[in-house]
Amino acid sequence: MANLQSFKFFDFNSTEQVSNILGNPNNGEAITIEVSGADGVSLVVQGRTDLEETNWFTLGVINLLDYSIAPKITTSGLYMAPFAGISKIRIVSETPVGGFKVFAISTD
């Protein structure tokens, strides 16, 4: 049985618009992202496959309410992002941070 791991991208007190980076050492398939208190935000999920710090690419996320795919998260809810073959994921906020939280659950 796989272990669930929680990861904090942003919390209510975050000040940086680029989140913490989630690594994928066990080659997981997908992560579930929970966004709370964030209506009106613009969050871009980015990933990369190599170890260089410069090559970040936007990943589409699946809204788990209606299964639509979008390039940005703009409201609170649950989302899924692909993780297979991606070594690291981060989230960039195009709006000011603080006052909302973004957590992820992944399996190892």
Side-chain angles (χ1 to χ4, degrees):
M1 178 171 211
N3 293 319
L4 291 176
Q5 305 249 340
S6 179
F7 182 82
K8 174 181 72 172
F9 286 108
F10 295 107
D11 66 16
F12 291 106
N13 299 314
S14 293
T15 58
E16 298 294 323
Q17 287 184 265
V18 177
S19 75
N20 298 315
I21 296 172
L22 173 60
N24 190 11
N26 297 316
N27 200 24
E29 296 294 319
I31 60 170
T32 301
I33 300 169
E34 177 185 343
V35 181
S36 298
D39 295 337
V41 298
S42 182
L43 303 172
V44 179
V45 178
Q46 296 180 331
R48 68 172 195 241
T49 59
D50 61 19
L51 299 176
E52 296 178 20
E53 296 291 325
T54 58
N55 298 324
W56 289 96
F57 299 93
T58 298
L59 302 174
V61 293
I62 301 167
N63 183 323
L64 294 179
L65 176 64
D66 60 10
Y67 296 100
S68 61
I69 299 174
K72 296 179 183 180
I73 296 171
T74 58
T75 188
S76 297
L78 291 175
Y79 300 85
M80 187 168 285
F83 212 22
I86 296 173
S87 65
K88 296 186 177 184
I89 284 184
R90 70 181 185 185
I91 298 176
V92 176
S93 178
E94 297 179 331
T95 54
V97 296
F100 64 89
K101 70 177 183 173
V102 181
F103 282 76
I105 296 292
S106 63
T107 58
D108 66 1

